Amino acid sequence: MSLRIVVCVKYVPDATGDRHFADDLTVDRDDVDGLLSELDEYAVEQALQIADEADDAEITVLTVGPEDAKDALRKALSMGADKAVHVEDDDLHGTDVMGTSLVLAKAIEKTGYDLVICGMASTDGTMGVLPAILAERLNVPQVTLLSEVSVEGGAEGTVKGRRDGDTASEQLEAALPAVVSVTDQSGEARYPSFKGIMAAKKKPVEALELDDLDIDADEVGLEGAWTAVDSAAERPARTAGTIVKDEGEGGKQLAAFLAEQKFI
Amino acid sequence: MAEVLVYVDHVDGAVRKPTLELLTLARRIGEPVAVALGNGAADTAAALAEHGATRVLTADAPEFADYLVVPKVDALQAAYAAVSPVAVLVPSSAEGKEIAARLAVRIKSGIITDAVDLEAGDEGPVATQSAFAASFTTKSRITQGTPVITVKPNSAAVEAAPAAGAVEALEVSFSAAATGTKVVSRTPRESTGRPELTEAAIVVSGGRGVNGAENFSIIEKLADSLGAAVGASRAAVDAGWYPHSNQVGQTGKSVSPQLYIANGISGAIQHRAGMQTSKTIVAVNKDAEAPIFDLVDYGVVGDLFEVVPQLTQEIETRKG
Ligand SMILES: Cc1cc2nc3c(=O)[nH]c(=O)nc-3n(C[C@H](O)[C@H](O)[C@H](O)COP(=O)(O)OP(=O)(O)OC[C@H]3O[C@@H](n4cnc5c(N)ncnc54)[C@H](O)[C@@H]3O)c2cc1C
Ligand SMILES: Cc1cc2nc3c(=O)[nH]c(=O)nc-3n(C[C@H](O)[C@H](O)[C@H](O)COP(=O)(O)OP(=O)(O)OC[C@H]3O[C@@H](n4cnc5c(N)ncnc54)[C@H](O)[C@@H]3O)c2cc1C
């Protein structure tokens, strides 16, 4: 049987743009360009490599996000994924991680899967917990934060990988189906080729709404969120420091500053 | 008084500093009850009692080391059921966040990750988070269930607050999911003898400007003269000059030391994301236009190969 891979990709505001919050304290998406979270490119790349190794595989890229999130799906399709699923619903505005994971889990189950691949963290929310939550919700093994990953034995096989933790590097193994997340150490993501970009235009993008997933509007969105943001304030700019040009005494001048600040 | 569950990060019984900081924050909300799991769990009690834990729930079983994350979730859930706390606090390590998140799903609670401060509030604990590479500060609450909050290192001072710290054995029955992901082998990271990057009071980092693995000895010498940890930019890590475990930034470690010294680092947004909340920031860079200078309290425009050795020499001289 074909190995069914679902890659979760997030559409995020460009980190190099002037990101800020909207009046309702959700992420302002109007004033900053959006794109496929760079860390999810690594997930797409590993999916493509695993599919290459497998006898027969199909890659679906999945996003929960606004209309423009289609751009993220197109990018992933142009890298080589086969088809896309886009969950879009006005009621999703302001959804927190519990709501997002509920929607993703239902959409993954509806799509059908043997392997789910996520990025290590989004570049906007940066929580880094969604893959673990998906594993909990789907009740399948969690094999996360891998800098190396491989699948053996197809859809009924096993996933193996290396997790470089704080105190040790671990070799992990689990039976499929499973949820995986990969880090930016897992290998450079490919650029879409011209052929890939042209082909992506013809690939199917399935649109789903909350109704299609049997999710009630009050389980998601700002109202349904289990967390509330009360305020968001721009961090005051750091007061301008002293900058000296090294004329041969730069190191000594710096030492004097550190001594004055009691670091020496 | 209401009890607050605190998940203990320890290595074979040695409690890591972020957990002691967590006890400081927990005492603002209620009486800390610590949960320590795995090898050496009971050995954590003395340090935890010293810093305010009224009880220390411990459990050890081979599952904690042999399988990923889920056995610890099972145990934390057992502690949650036994204590009925008003909040659950977990250190923001990669593993800590995953444990906290899965617990939150199970107990139907909201979760806040990477808090940098925590206060008691009328409607439950209020967490401060840094957003968008620390350019914003937000205040959030959990509105459903028992708040589950993970807290970053260096978010509070470690305070002595002696309490009973009575050790109690925690009964854990593992779920079917516990053995889902096997840890086939584990290679411990070799200790450098330097402070832990995320816990260090001073961090000295090198970037592309260091220009070679062999040159990192210049950075290490400066770090050692200050008793500091060594960090690196992704450019330096990607070039293979320094281990990824020392990377500072969005996809590396997030640090918030008293002093951060950036050498040959331009100050890209993804690097800033991991160091912008440092108390004092110093940079050495030969390009006066480098964005890192927008952040600094003190900057030297110059060649790091001149400035850094001179600085190290001067520190050694001053120390006498
Ligand atoms: C600054 C900030 C702070 C936030 N803090 C909290 C908080 O403390 N608690 C809370 O409940 N919510 C929080 N949120 C909301 C939360 O970020 C979103 O609900 C988000 O969809 C899930 O979290 P994440 O992006 O951080 O996921 P992460 O756990 O960082 O994402 C990991 C991976 O999950 C996948 N993924 C994540 N989102 C999607 C998606 N929409 N579609 C497809 N795949 C996806 C990707 O593969 C991604 O690489 C915060 C948002 C922001 C902007
Ligand atoms: C999704 C994503 C995640 C990322 N995560 C991270 C992360 O976690 N951490 C991180 O650091 N980056 C991260 N990056 C990369 C980041 O964008 C930058 O590319 C990186 O930080 C640059 O490293 P650098 O400052 O060392 O190199 P450069 O930007 O090349 O800067 C080198 C600096 O050294 C100076 N210099 C050169 N020679 C000397 C000398 N002899 N003396 C003094 N100064 C000298 C130069 O003037 C220059 O300013 C990420 C990028 C992406 C897209």
Short mmCIF file of all heavy atoms in Angstrom, two decimals, chain A residues 128-155:
data_model
loop_
_atom_site.label_atom_id
_atom_site.label_comp_id
_atom_site.label_asym_id
_atom_site.label_seq_id
_atom_site.Cartn_x
_atom_site.Cartn_y
_atom_site.Cartn_z
N GLY A 128 6.41 25.40 19.39
CA GLY A 128 7.13 24.13 19.27
C GLY A 128 6.45 22.96 19.95
O GLY A 128 7.11 21.98 20.31
N VAL A 129 5.15 23.03 20.14
CA VAL A 129 4.44 21.95 20.85
C VAL A 129 3.38 21.27 20.01
O VAL A 129 2.86 20.23 20.38
CB VAL A 129 3.76 22.48 22.14
CG1 VAL A 129 4.81 22.98 23.11
CG2 VAL A 129 2.74 23.57 21.82
N LEU A 130 3.04 21.86 18.88
CA LEU A 130 1.93 21.32 18.10
C LEU A 130 2.12 19.86 17.68
O LEU A 130 1.19 19.07 17.78
CB LEU A 130 1.67 22.23 16.90
CG LEU A 130 0.23 22.10 16.45
CD1 LEU A 130 -0.43 23.43 16.25
CD2 LEU A 130 0.12 21.26 15.22
N PRO A 131 3.32 19.47 17.25
CA PRO A 131 3.50 18.06 16.87
C PRO A 131 3.21 17.10 18.04
O PRO A 131 2.55 16.07 17.84
CB PRO A 131 4.97 18.00 16.44
CG PRO A 131 5.28 19.41 15.99
CD PRO A 131 4.50 20.29 16.91
N ALA A 132 3.67 17.43 19.24
CA ALA A 132 3.41 16.57 20.41
C ALA A 132 1.90 16.50 20.68
O ALA A 132 1.36 15.44 20.99
CB ALA A 132 4.14 17.12 21.63
N ILE A 133 1.23 17.62 20.54
CA ILE A 133 -0.23 17.65 20.77
C ILE A 133 -0.94 16.80 19.72
O ILE A 133 -1.89 16.07 20.03
CB ILE A 133 -0.76 19.10 20.76
CG1 ILE A 133 -0.16 19.88 21.93
CG2 ILE A 133 -2.28 19.12 20.81
CD1 ILE A 133 -0.59 21.32 22.01
N LEU A 134 -0.48 16.88 18.46
CA LEU A 134 -1.10 16.07 17.41
C LEU A 134 -0.96 14.58 17.72
O LEU A 134 -1.91 13.81 17.55
CB LEU A 134 -0.44 16.37 16.05
CG LEU A 134 -0.90 17.60 15.29
CD1 LEU A 134 -0.16 17.69 13.96
CD2 LEU A 134 -2.41 17.58 15.07
N ALA A 135 0.23 14.18 18.18
CA ALA A 135 0.44 12.77 18.52
C ALA A 135 -0.52 12.35 19.63
O ALA A 135 -1.09 11.26 19.60
CB ALA A 135 1.89 12.54 18.95
N GLU A 136 -0.70 13.23 20.61
CA GLU A 136 -1.62 12.94 21.72
C GLU A 136 -3.05 12.80 21.18
O GLU A 136 -3.76 11.86 21.51
CB GLU A 136 -1.52 14.06 22.76
CG GLU A 136 -2.46 13.91 23.96
CD GLU A 136 -2.06 12.78 24.90
OE1 GLU A 136 -0.85 12.55 25.09
OE2 GLU A 136 -2.98 12.12 25.44
N ARG A 137 -3.45 13.73 20.36
CA ARG A 137 -4.83 13.70 19.84
C ARG A 137 -5.07 12.51 18.91
O ARG A 137 -6.14 11.91 18.93
CB ARG A 137 -5.14 15.00 19.08
CG ARG A 137 -5.33 16.22 19.97
CD ARG A 137 -5.99 17.33 19.15
NE ARG A 137 -6.08 18.60 19.87
CZ ARG A 137 -7.01 18.88 20.76
NH1 ARG A 137 -7.91 17.99 21.10
NH2 ARG A 137 -7.03 20.08 21.34
N LEU A 138 -4.09 12.19 18.06
CA LEU A 138 -4.26 11.10 17.10
C LEU A 138 -3.98 9.74 17.75
O LEU A 138 -4.24 8.70 17.15
CB LEU A 138 -3.33 11.30 15.89
CG LEU A 138 -3.60 12.54 15.03
CD1 LEU A 138 -2.44 12.79 14.07
CD2 LEU A 138 -4.91 12.39 14.25
N ASN A 139 -3.42 9.79 18.97
CA ASN A 139 -3.06 8.57 19.71
C ASN A 139 -2.10 7.68 18.91
O ASN A 139 -2.30 6.48 18.77
CB ASN A 139 -4.32 7.81 20.13
CG ASN A 139 -4.02 6.75 21.18
OD1 ASN A 139 -3.00 6.85 21.86
ND2 ASN A 139 -4.87 5.75 21.28
N VAL A 140 -1.05 8.33 18.38
CA VAL A 140 0.01 7.60 17.69
C VAL A 140 1.35 8.07 18.26
O VAL A 140 1.42 9.11 18.92
CB VAL A 140 -0.03 7.85 16.15
CG1 VAL A 140 -1.36 7.39 15.57
CG2 VAL A 140 0.25 9.31 15.81
N PRO A 141 2.45 7.33 18.03
CA PRO A 141 3.75 7.72 18.58
C PRO A 141 4.20 9.11 18.12
O PRO A 141 3.93 9.53 16.99
CB PRO A 141 4.70 6.64 18.07
CG PRO A 141 3.84 5.45 17.84
CD PRO A 141 2.52 5.99 17.37
N GLN A 142 4.92 9.78 19.03
CA GLN A 142 5.51 11.08 18.76
C GLN A 142 7.01 10.88 18.58
O GLN A 142 7.69 10.39 19.47
CB GLN A 142 5.24 11.98 19.98
CG GLN A 142 6.17 13.17 20.09
CD GLN A 142 6.09 13.85 21.45
OE1 GLN A 142 5.14 13.68 22.20
NE2 GLN A 142 7.11 14.64 21.77
N VAL A 143 7.53 11.28 17.41
CA VAL A 143 8.96 11.13 17.15
C VAL A 143 9.45 12.51 16.70
O VAL A 143 9.53 12.79 15.51
CB VAL A 143 9.23 10.06 16.06
CG1 VAL A 143 10.68 9.59 16.11
CG2 VAL A 143 8.32 8.85 16.23
N THR A 144 9.74 13.36 17.66
CA THR A 144 9.87 14.79 17.34
C THR A 144 11.28 15.34 17.47
O THR A 144 12.14 14.75 18.09
CB THR A 144 8.95 15.60 18.27
OG1 THR A 144 9.14 15.14 19.60
CG2 THR A 144 7.50 15.44 17.87
N LEU A 145 11.46 16.51 16.87
CA LEU A 145 12.70 17.29 16.90
C LEU A 145 13.87 16.48 16.35
O LEU A 145 14.94 16.43 16.94
CB LEU A 145 12.97 17.80 18.31
CG LEU A 145 11.88 18.74 18.83
CD1 LEU A 145 12.08 19.05 20.31
CD2 LEU A 145 11.85 20.03 18.01
N LEU A 146 13.65 15.89 15.19
CA LEU A 146 14.66 15.03 14.58
C LEU A 146 15.59 15.83 13.67
O LEU A 146 15.14 16.67 12.89
CB LEU A 146 13.99 13.92 13.76
CG LEU A 146 13.00 13.03 14.52
CD1 LEU A 146 12.42 11.97 13.59
CD2 LEU A 146 13.67 12.39 15.73
N SER A 147 16.89 15.56 13.78
CA SER A 147 17.82 16.16 12.83
C SER A 147 18.18 15.16 11.74
O SER A 147 18.92 15.48 10.81
CB SER A 147 19.06 16.67 13.55
OG SER A 147 19.46 15.77 14.53
N GLU A 148 17.64 13.93 11.89
CA GLU A 148 17.82 12.89 10.87
C GLU A 148 16.60 12.00 10.93
O GLU A 148 16.16 11.65 12.03
CB GLU A 148 19.02 12.02 11.26
CG GLU A 148 20.13 11.94 10.25
CD GLU A 148 21.29 11.17 10.86
OE1 GLU A 148 21.09 10.03 11.29
OE2 GLU A 148 22.37 11.77 10.94
N VAL A 149 16.04 11.65 9.78
CA VAL A 149 14.84 10.80 9.81
C VAL A 149 14.82 9.86 8.61
O VAL A 149 15.28 10.21 7.52
CB VAL A 149 13.55 11.67 9.86
CG1 VAL A 149 13.46 12.59 8.66
CG2 VAL A 149 12.30 10.81 9.95
N SER A 150 14.31 8.64 8.84
CA SER A 150 14.13 7.71 7.73
C SER A 150 12.97 6.77 8.03
O SER A 150 12.61 6.59 9.20
CB SER A 150 15.40 6.89 7.49
OG SER A 150 15.66 6.09 8.62
N VAL A 151 12.37 6.24 6.97
CA VAL A 151 11.27 5.29 7.13
C VAL A 151 11.68 3.99 6.46
O VAL A 151 12.23 3.98 5.36
CB VAL A 151 9.97 5.83 6.49
CG1 VAL A 151 8.91 4.74 6.41
CG2 VAL A 151 9.45 7.03 7.27
N GLU A 152 11.43 2.89 7.16
CA GLU A 152 11.72 1.57 6.59
C GLU A 152 10.45 0.75 6.55
O GLU A 152 9.68 0.75 7.50
CB GLU A 152 12.76 0.83 7.45
CG GLU A 152 14.17 1.36 7.25
CD GLU A 152 15.13 0.85 8.31
OE1 GLU A 152 14.82 -0.19 8.94
OE2 GLU A 152 16.15 1.51 8.51
N GLY A 153 10.23 0.05 5.43
CA GLY A 153 9.12 -0.90 5.38
C GLY A 153 7.79 -0.32 4.97
O GLY A 153 6.76 -0.94 5.21
N GLY A 154 7.78 0.88 4.40
CA GLY A 154 6.54 1.45 3.87
C GLY A 154 5.49 1.73 4.93
O GLY A 154 5.81 1.94 6.10
N ALA A 155 4.23 1.70 4.50
CA ALA A 155 3.13 2.13 5.35
C ALA A 155 2.99 1.33 6.65
O ALA A 155 2.51 1.84 7.65
CB ALA A 155 1.82 2.06 4.57
#
